[in-house]
Amino acid sequence: MKLWKFAIAGAAMGLGSVALAQDVSKQVKARQGQMQIVAMNLGVLGGIAKGEIAYDAETAQRAADSLVGISMIDQGPLWVEGSDTMSIEGTRALPAIWDNTSGFMEDWQAYVAAAAAMSEAAGQGQEAIGAAMRDMGGSCKSCHDDFRETN
């Protein structure tokens, strides 16, 4: 009887880990949603910086604070191995993320710093937002150049 319990428990654990290893769709959707939120808020701030959207301190601050909010999300669970362009369809994440995790996390930390700087600049006017956008854009570009498949 005890042998059967161990056999069933072992099989259940094995099947659970296989299923977990194969289904990364939730993680991919979550990180893609996160990036859409970043893009949406950068669109607002970029529009303000370019003068295409009238500067409004409250609108700018909400957009910048959303960028900071994204920076506070633990990235580890979103970037699981096997969720890259070579493993699944529907992602632009390159395998380089897992080959150079420390570089990827350095780029993420640059985003975190740029988001914090943007939050500081948001209440200071259009020019301050423009200056902060250069740093923000640089942090995004660095990560995308190394870790994201181009269209």
Side-chain angles (χ1 to χ4, degrees):
M1 183 69 174
K2 286 184 182 181
L3 183 58
W4 277 103
K5 287 180 185 178
F6 286 118
I8 291 171
M13 289 187 338
L15 290 175
S17 63
V18 169
L20 180 62
Q22 292 177 353
D23 186 12
V24 295
S25 62
K26 289 180 183 178
Q27 290 89 341
V28 171
K29 286 180 185 178
R31 71 184 186 222
Q32 288 173 340
Q34 162 181 281
M35 294 303 166
Q36 288 175 349
I37 292 168
V38 168
M40 181 182 71
N41 286 286
L42 286 177
V44 170
L45 293 163
I48 290 171
K50 293 176 188 175
E52 297 168 354
I53 298 173
Y55 173 74
D56 172 69
E58 186 177 329
T59 299
Q61 195 65 59
R62 281 195 315 263
D65 289 347
S66 292
L67 297 176
V68 170
I70 292 294
S71 78
M72 298 168 108
I73 296 171
D74 178 13
Q75 295 300 299
L78 302 180
W79 301 94
V80 295
E81 230 173 310
S83 64
D84 59 82
T85 56
M86 299 299 288
S87 302
I88 61 170
E89 295 288 323
T91 183
R92 292 172 29 189
L94 292 173
I97 292 169
W98 296 274
D99 295 338
N100 183 8
T101 303
S102 62
F104 178 71
M105 291 313 295
E106 284 176 22
D107 284 351
W108 180 254
Q109 289 307 312
Y111 167 81
V112 170
M118 180 62 77
S119 183
E120 289 293 318
Q124 298 175 18
Q126 178 184 0
E127 282 186 35
I129 291 171
M133 281 297 290
R134 284 187 285 282
D135 290 339
M136 180 63 67
S139 77
C140 294
K141 182 180 181 337
S142 177
C143 191
H144 289 183
D145 284 351
D146 295 335
F147 302 109
R148 179 178 154 199
E149 184 176 74
T150 57
N151 288 341

